[in-house]
Amino acid sequence: MPTEVILPKVDMDMATGQISRWFAEEGATVKKGDVLFEIETDKAAMEIDAPASGVLRDVTGKEGVDIAVGSAVAWIYADGEAYGDKAPISPLEGEMSTKSTEGVASEGTALALSPVEPTPPDRPLAGHPPLEGEGKTRATPLARRLAREAGLNLSGISGTGPHGRVVKADIDAVLSSPLEGEVSAKRTEGVASGGTAFAPSPVEATPPAGPSAGHPPLKGEGDVLKLFEEGSYELVPHDNMRKTIARRLVDAKTTIPHFYLTLDCELDALLALRTQLNAAAPVKKTDKGEAPVYKLSVNDMVIKAMAMALKAVPDANASWTESAMVKHRHADVGVAVSIPGGLITPIIRHADEKTLSVISNEMKDLASRARSRKLKPEEYQGGTTAVSNLGMFGIKDFAAVINPPHATILAVGAGEERAVVKNGEIKIATVMSVTLSTDHRAVDGALGAELLVAFKKLIENPMGMLV
């Protein structure tokens, strides 16, 4: 029997992926372990090997198209194995086909199968906090994904699928209606008239007052486009990265109670130490001549200081779960890196234990591979905190959005000369503003303040990072 080639799940929160490039064509002979195709996920590009040796047939996975995880994209026939004109039927499709035939035979009515994915147990996707009520509501995987992307609460939607399951049509109905309550009421009335009673959906008929009085909330693409003259814009389809960023930001801002703390750090001592350390760096021979073994940046020292501050205030080095507080033994610092089309957060593991030179070189390597989408999942998943630095753009201060499962993220502004008062005298100092965003469920105000004070102490007395 031919071997099925599927689109694998290479990221914990991956629901779909795109094949960016095939390395083998229809009818090509491949060996087990040969690179078949390259997957473009929301964060990286990964090469997928052939699961068996033989002839590649029935290549159905097209380049640049969203494909559901686990879907068959091709088949590999062993040498000498008979090949028909039609692609083999996967075990799942065969099972559905058999059940469909049984249903027609027993009732005498032909029913068309809708291409609905098999429904897993009601649980959230790995790496994503569930929306309230999501785990108690029956829904197809596609409906769950669409609801999550739109920020909808599944428990407030009456399903029209089998056994009350929420399907894609139910999500589309909510998104296309000016008032979610009207859709819910109409759907409930329709079900009731069919002889089955369902409890009304707990969605208010009247939406809260929006930013512009008299305007219904903008739900779908059509509601947005009708506000602009046709031909005055260009539509650029979202890629997987942008979709994932949007989904996770909605999750973060709707499920995490953010709390913000801001203070100023003087940088003069840190800048002086950085200059001394860079000047003392040994040199090595390269193809382009001699180059220093390391070149520290301010951000490298910020990463180290944040890691050491978490070790000094261990209660803040935590993640929230519904059943327990996760207390981390190491400080793994994610660093936001801008890449074409979005951003990614590679992680410096055990940053509290590493020297500044190691952190600097590791960060340069991670950032370089992040921009070329060559990071491995384990290099950007997890972490216990994060740092986002916009100082190089001259941004004075900002507040960053927490990236679950982190409970904190530090937003770093530009260092600039400011007038400060010392001992009753006005003096000039290089000052950097930082803002700590905390998950108030895990890190209370006083605890967050303690963490930020520990960070400030290390930045203003940087010799502490060397011992």
Side-chain angles (χ1 to χ4, degrees):
M1 183 173 178
T3 302
E4 185 180 36
V5 181
I6 66 169
L7 188 86
K9 184 172 184 176
V10 297
D11 195 350
M12 66 179 181
D13 56 358
M14 175 181 171
T16 63
Q18 291 187 1
I19 296 177
S20 55
R21 178 185 176 190
W22 276 96
F23 293 96
E25 299 178 349
E26 175 84 22
T29 300
V30 298
K31 295 181 180 180
K32 184 177 181 179
D34 286 351
V35 177
L36 277 187
F37 57 90
E38 184 180 67
I39 288 182
E40 179 185 331
T41 70
D42 55 296
K43 297 178 179 177
M46 302 189 69
E47 295 178 344
I48 305 302
D49 297 341
S53 299
V55 180
L56 188 67
R57 299 286 190 185
D58 302 314
V59 178
T60 58
K62 305 300 182 183
E63 295 180 359
V65 177
D66 280 341
I67 302 173
V69 168
S71 298
V73 296
W75 298 79
I76 296 177
Y77 286 73
D79 291 338
E81 186 172 2
Y83 170 65
D85 294 333
K86 295 183 179 180
I89 298 177
S90 69
L92 175 61
E93 292 174 352
E95 183 180 338
M96 292 176 65
S97 177
T98 302
K99 291 182 179 178
S100 173
T101 305
E102 291 172 356
V104 171
S106 61
E107 298 183 15
T109 304
L111 300 176
L113 278 178
S114 61
V116 178
E117 301 176 33
T119 304
D122 287 331
R123 59 183 176 85
L125 289 175
H128 279 286
L131 295 173
E132 184 180 354
E134 183 175 339
K136 304 175 184 177
T137 304
R138 296 179 64 84
T140 66
L142 178 58
R144 288 187 184 280
R145 179 169 66 84
L146 293 175
R148 187 176 287 112
E149 290 175 353
L152 297 178
N153 189 339
L154 281 175
S155 64
I157 301 175
S158 297
T160 59
H163 308 291
R165 179 173 292 134
V166 178
V167 296
K168 179 179 181 293
D170 300 323
I171 304 298
D172 291 340
V174 174
L175 294 178
S176 62
S177 172
L179 297 177
E180 291 182 25
E182 287 184 11
V183 175
S184 177
K186 290 178 181 177
R187 188 179 299 121
T188 305
E189 291 171 7
V191 172
S193 64
T196 306
F198 281 88
S201 177
V203 180
E204 298 179 5
T206 305
S212 59
H215 247 297
L218 299 179
K219 292 293 183 184
E221 183 176 297
D223 289 338
V224 175
L225 296 183
K226 70 183 181 183
L227 300 177
F228 303 97
E229 182 182 352
E230 188 173 350
S232 66
Y233 53 81
E234 176 187 359
L235 292 178
V236 180
H238 301 307
D239 61 10
N240 286 341
M241 174 177 289
R242 182 50 53 186
K243 290 177 183 177
T244 299
I245 290 173
R247 183 177 70 247
R248 288 184 65 82
L249 287 177
V250 170
D251 285 346
K253 290 297 286 186
T254 56
T255 63
I256 298 176
H258 282 59
F259 182 79
Y260 307 100
L261 299 164
T262 302
L263 54 68
D264 296 332
C265 304
E266 293 188 16
L267 290 180
D268 296 289
L270 182 143
L271 294 175
L273 178 62
R274 170 177 169 263
T275 299
Q276 288 180 323
L277 292 174
N278 283 339
V283 296
K284 62 179 180 181
K285 292 183 179 180
T286 67
D287 296 338
K288 299 180 181 180
E290 292 187 342
V293 173
Y294 61 83
K295 186 176 182 180
L296 303 181
S297 68
V298 172
N299 204 52
D300 298 329
M301 304 180 86
V302 167
I303 295 169
K304 176 71 172 179
M306 186 62 179
M308 293 185 67
L310 283 173
K311 294 297 289 185
V313 188
D315 285 345
N317 194 23
S319 295
W320 170 267
T321 70
E322 293 300 327
S323 60
M325 194 77 75
V326 182
K327 294 292 186 70
H328 302 290
R329 294 189 175 94
H330 305 286
D332 300 332
V333 182
V335 184
V337 174
S338 177
I339 63 177
L343 58 85
I344 192 170
T345 310
I347 299 168
I348 304 292
R349 306 284 180 183
H350 298 200
D352 54 302
E353 302 172 1
K354 294 179 177 177
T355 63
L356 287 169
S357 61
V358 170
I359 290 175
S360 179
N361 290 332
E362 189 174 326
M363 192 63 238
K364 287 181 176 64
D365 173 62
L366 289 171
S368 174
R369 289 191 289 115
R371 294 187 180 98
S372 59
R373 293 198 173 193
K374 296 298 182 183
L375 289 179
K376 301 174 183 177
E378 60 267 23
E379 292 177 318
Y380 57 79
Q381 292 178 355
T384 66
T385 190
V387 169
S388 180
N389 191 339
L390 294 179
M392 66 288 294
F393 298 105
I395 302 300
K396 182 177 181 179
D397 62 75
F398 67 102
V401 180
I402 295 170
N403 183 29
H406 305 165
T408 56
I409 183 171
L410 186 72
V412 182
E416 59 182 6
E417 289 189 341
R418 302 181 198 172
V420 298
V421 178
K422 294 184 178 181
N423 300 322
E425 297 181 357
I426 298 178
K427 295 187 177 182
I428 302 298
T430 305
V431 179
M432 174 182 72
S433 295
V434 295
T435 298
L436 182 71
S437 303
T438 72
D439 181 344
H440 214 319
R441 300 171 300 177
V443 180
D444 295 323
L447 183 60
E450 187 181 353
L451 174 63
L452 206 51
V453 168
F455 171 83
K456 175 183 172 75
K457 183 177 179 180
L458 287 162
I459 291 294
E460 296 186 345
N461 300 277
M463 289 296 291
M465 289 188 274
L466 305 182
V467 297

